[in-house]
Amino acid sequence: MRRKIYPWIICLMSTLLISCCMGITNGTFSVFQPYLVESGLTNTQASMILTVRNIFGCLAIAFSSQYYEHMGLRRGMTWNVCIGMIAFVIYSAARIYPVFMIGAAMSGICYGWGGILPASMLIRRWFKKNRTLALGISGSGSGVAMLILPVLLTSVIENKDMYAAFRLDALLMAITAVLLYLTIRESPEEAGLMPWGYEEENEKRKVVNEGAGLTSGEYAMLLVSMLFMGISTQPEVNHISVYFHELSFHPMLAPRTISVIGFFLIIGKCVYGYLVDIFQAFYVNLVYFLGIIAGLFFLVLCKSGNTVFAYMASVTLGYGTSLATVGMMSIAGDLETPEKYMRTGKYFQLIYLGAVLVFSAVPGIVADAAGSYLPVYILAPCLMIIGMILVQTVYIRHGKGFIHK
């Protein structure tokens, strides 16, 4: 029984890791944005917190391989969540802008070292089959945080203050760090077990679709797509709270819609892994790309003052943005050779986060200059349409789309 259950416990721990390192540090931080502005920061300063976080996130991703080679997965994941905990302790003590910058740097390191890459490494060791499904479940951790925490954090802020909400995040990370250290094992062999699906190893089942390799031109096309995805997704989600505040929506609408995003992000990531195991990734990716585009378009329509568009945006963005985590690794596996799979996935993540980094402060700058966040939400779906065309074109060139070789 333990042999059959433990790989899925590992999957659960990966989910908790991503819930902290991607969900708390990144996905739910938009809850704090309007309160940071109310505390005396400008829109630009509040956005710069995200920029600093993403700078250090990019640096952390660039050195993630070296970090985990030195620390190992168990210690590396545990210490990384501790770094995130320290970041939120610093946030809770911050009363001046430079202290927020220190917390942002620490949370960026946590985000970069605790994302989908270490989870992928762990899942590949513990699963011989159903890897995409297990990775999708792990990736849903960011959605779990976005589902549960926004309303809770907003309630804490309204009843106490912003700093109490920061302390709550720190406590959740401390609990997660303890669970990771007690549960994670580097490999099945270390635990005296076998990976999930090892019985079918002789059938040579394809766990990660083995691509033929990317030409330099195709690689560039995919990197541009990841760039546009980074510009068009995370910065917009991070600024939903202040955008809705600008539109004079009820204060609770933003945390509620972020929770809806989180709910459908959970579903989207889990279903993505399941669908890719059944259908061609070309068609699955198409549906998810269209979800992001539709969600961004609905955010533009929120200018009308109709809250229905806000919830429609939450649903479609929620499942669509799975492409920004699980989807990237799937695309790398579909099109790249097995030997280059992890490296290519790493650079997809790096270019994505680099785009988030460069663009994270832009919405605040645009709002200060133009008096509205709307221009940002108009540009985003246009870029995503281009990104979708680029990815799908590479699939077609590899005979994995509408045209089959």
Side-chain angles (χ1 to χ4, degrees), residues 256-279:
R256 286 170 182 163
T257 53
I258 293 171
S259 291
V260 173
I261 290 175
F263 177 75
F264 281 93
L265 189 60
I266 296 169
I267 295 175
K269 288 183 177 181
C270 295
V271 171
Y272 182 92
Y274 177 74
L275 292 178
V276 167
D277 284 339
I278 299 176
F279 304 103

Side-chain angles (χ1 to χ4, degrees), residues 29-354:
F29 198 82
S30 62
V31 169
F32 294 101
Q33 292 295 97
Y35 299 100
L36 288 168
V37 174
E38 287 180 6
S39 72
L41 303 184
T42 66
N43 285 312
T44 300
Q45 287 177 323
S47 293
M48 282 301 295
I49 292 175
L50 307 181
T51 300
V52 171
R53 181 195 69 196
N54 292 329
I55 287 174
F56 281 85
C58 283
L59 292 173
I61 287 179
F63 293 97
S64 58
S65 299
Q66 294 88 331
Y67 172 74
Y68 282 105
E69 284 175 5
H70 176 70
M71 296 290 290
L73 288 176
R74 183 190 184 196
R75 285 197 305 153
M77 289 176 173
T78 302
W79 278 111
N80 189 54
V81 173
C82 289
I83 291 171
M85 176 195 68
I86 294 170
F88 279 88
V89 170
I90 292 172
Y91 282 142
S92 71
R95 297 298 184 274
I96 58 175
Y97 186 57
V99 179
F100 280 110
M101 294 293 98
I102 297 172
M106 298 288 286
S107 67
I109 293 171
C110 176
Y111 178 71
W113 279 344
I116 199 70
L117 288 173
S120 297
M121 294 166 66
L122 196 63
I123 293 300
R124 285 176 66 84
R125 294 181 185 181
W126 277 91
F127 286 82
K128 289 294 182 183
K129 70 172 184 177
N130 300 130
R131 281 184 182 171
T132 309
L133 175 60
L135 189 59
I137 294 171
S138 298
S140 71
S142 57
V144 172
M146 292 176 68
L147 171 64
I148 297 172
L149 290 181
V151 174
L152 177 59
L153 291 173
T154 302
S155 177
V156 171
I157 294 171
E158 294 292 336
N159 289 290
K160 297 190 73 175
D161 57 34
M162 178 176 67
Y163 303 101
F166 283 137
R167 290 192 294 271
L168 174 60
D169 278 341
L171 175 62
L172 293 174
M173 286 194 155
I175 294 171
T176 300
V178 173
L179 291 174
L180 288 173
Y181 187 77
L182 294 176
T183 307
I184 291 292
R185 295 295 179 269
E186 296 288 320
S187 66
E189 292 75 18
E190 180 183 316
L193 300 172
M194 298 296 289
W196 176 261
Y198 75 94
E199 299 94 342
E200 300 178 28
E201 186 174 5
N202 292 332
E203 297 178 16
K204 298 182 179 179
R205 179 188 178 101
K206 284 189 177 182
V207 176
V208 177
N209 293 326
E210 297 183 358
L214 296 166
T215 66
S216 57
E218 292 169 346
Y219 192 62
M221 291 169 67
L222 293 176
L223 289 179
V224 170
S225 180
M226 302 308 159
L227 177 74
F228 287 169
M229 192 182 301
I231 292 174
S232 305
T233 54
Q234 198 61 55
E236 284 69 24
V237 173
N238 284 341
H239 288 83
I240 279 178
S241 293
V242 285
Y243 177 53
F244 286 175
H245 181 74
E246 171 194 312
L247 299 178
S248 300
F249 286 143
H250 191 279
M252 288 302 295
L253 178 64
R256 286 170 182 163
T257 53
I258 293 171
S259 291
V260 173
I261 290 175
F263 177 75
F264 281 93
L265 189 60
I266 296 169
I267 295 175
K269 288 183 177 181
C270 295
V271 171
Y272 182 92
Y274 177 74
L275 292 178
V276 167
D277 284 339
I278 299 176
F279 304 103
Q280 289 189 75
F282 174 87
Y283 300 105
V284 180
N285 291 339
L286 179 62
V287 172
Y288 278 71
F289 268 119
L290 292 175
I292 297 175
I293 294 166
L296 294 168
F297 180 67
F298 288 136
L299 286 176
V300 174
L301 295 180
C302 286
K303 184 67 175 177
S304 67
N306 192 335
T307 58
V308 172
F309 291 126
Y311 287 107
M312 292 173 69
S314 301
V315 172
T316 50
L317 272 177
Y319 86 79
T321 48
S322 301
L323 277 175
T325 49
V326 180
M328 286 186 185
M329 300 305 293
S330 176
I331 291 169
D334 275 339
L335 303 171
E336 190 58 279
T337 60
E339 295 78 15
K340 296 180 180 179
Y341 162 68
M342 290 301 293
R343 189 199 68 175
T344 299
K346 172 182 172 178
Y347 283 111
F348 283 176
Q349 290 286 316
L350 189 58
I351 199 72
Y352 169 81
L353 187 56

